[in-house]
């Protein structure tokens, strides 16, 4: 792919990702879904342009999302996990041992999510989500964490399926546009 085509594709994906992040203000119930969708777009950029381009667009979208996204939780989730994980997924899956691969994926997820929520809590002083778990008793936060890990496994499998679908149906059409 030519350099100008990579720039154009990177710009389009960045614009769509920022738009999805901005929409968290319109759809507050999509705090997790929209950052996840914005991140999945970056996986397509890895396929078409490589890791360098994908990480560059991730950095740009993260910066813009951080300042433009009305939902701080969604912005932090994108910056700390949903933005970079679809890019790193391909690198992690180069590990041939499946248990080791999944252990690393789970570690990345848990470290990123806990770090993101700690930043959200201590740096921005947004403790509402912790208060929400108090309604569910002393194990509310633990239950949320366990459910989050199960949802992450489903999310990881969904990314794999979406990338497979991208390869089979969308990639041939996009390749013709950017030749």
């Amino acid at each position: 792919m030519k350099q100008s085509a990579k720039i154009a594709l990177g710009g389009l994906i960045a614009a769509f990702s920022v738009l999805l992040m901005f929409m968290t203000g319109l759809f507050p119930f999509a705090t997790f879904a929209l950052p996840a969708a914005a991140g999945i777009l970056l996986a397509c950029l890895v396929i078409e342009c490589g890791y360098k381009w994908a990480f560059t667009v991730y950095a740009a979208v993260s910066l813009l999302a951080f300042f433009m996204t009305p939902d701080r939780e969604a912005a932090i989730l994108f910056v700390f996990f949903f933005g970079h994980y679809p890019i790193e997924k391909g690198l992690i899956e180069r590990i041939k041992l499946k248990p080791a691969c999944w252990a690393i994926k789970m570690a990345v997820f848990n470290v990123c999510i806990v770090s993101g929520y700690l930043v959200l809590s201590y740096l921005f002083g947004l403790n509402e989500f912790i208060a929400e778990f108090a309604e569910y008793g002393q194990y509310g936060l633990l239950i949320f964490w366990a459910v989050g890990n199960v949802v992450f496994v489903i999310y990881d499998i969904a990314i794999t399926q979406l990338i497979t679908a991208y390869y089979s149906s969308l990639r041939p059409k996009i390749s013709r546009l950017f030749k």
Side-chain angles (χ1 to χ4, degrees):
M1 186 179 284
K2 294 180 183 176
Q3 191 75 1
S4 58
K6 288 180 181 181
I7 292 170
L9 185 60
L12 284 171
I13 288 177
F16 282 130
S17 294
V18 170
L19 176 65
L20 287 170
M21 292 303 298
F22 189 74
M23 287 173 51
T24 59
L26 299 173
F27 305 107
F29 54 86
T31 297
F32 298 101
L34 290 173
I40 290 171
L41 293 174
L42 296 174
C44 299
L45 196 58
V46 170
I47 295 165
E48 298 301 331
C49 303
Y51 289 101
K52 179 181 143 188
W53 281 90
F55 277 115
T56 303
V57 171
Y58 158 71
V61 172
S62 293
L63 189 64
L64 290 170
F66 190 74
F67 290 111
M68 294 178 61
T69 302
D71 185 345
R72 284 285 168 231
E73 185 178 7
I76 292 293
L77 286 170
F78 181 83
V79 171
F80 276 82
F81 179 70
F82 288 119
H84 63 82
Y85 180 74
I87 301 169
E88 294 168 348
K89 179 177 167 50
L91 297 171
I92 295 170
E93 288 181 346
R94 290 181 181 173
I95 299 169
K96 298 295 181 205
L97 233 66
K98 289 290 181 190
C101 181
W102 274 103
I104 291 171
K105 287 179 181 182
M106 297 303 286
V108 167
F109 169 73
N110 285 292
V111 167
C112 291
I113 293 298
V114 168
S115 300
Y117 275 105
L118 287 174
V119 166
L120 196 63
S121 178
Y122 293 113
L123 193 61
F124 293 107
L126 299 174
N127 294 318
E128 296 91 28
F129 62 91
I130 293 175
E132 289 175 14
F133 296 118
E135 298 173 11
Y136 300 108
Q138 68 187 51
Y139 299 111
L141 195 55
L142 185 61
I143 291 168
F144 178 73
W145 175 75
V147 170
N149 277 277
V150 171
V151 170
F152 165 71
V153 171
I154 295 167
Y155 172 70
D156 185 80
I157 294 167
I159 291 175
T160 302
Q161 296 298 317
L162 287 169
I163 290 171
T164 302
Y166 173 78
Y167 263 113
S168 64
S169 63
L170 277 176
R171 188 164 194 235
K173 295 173 186 168
I174 290 176
S175 294
R176 278 187 260 137
L177 291 174
F178 289 101
K179 281 188 178 181

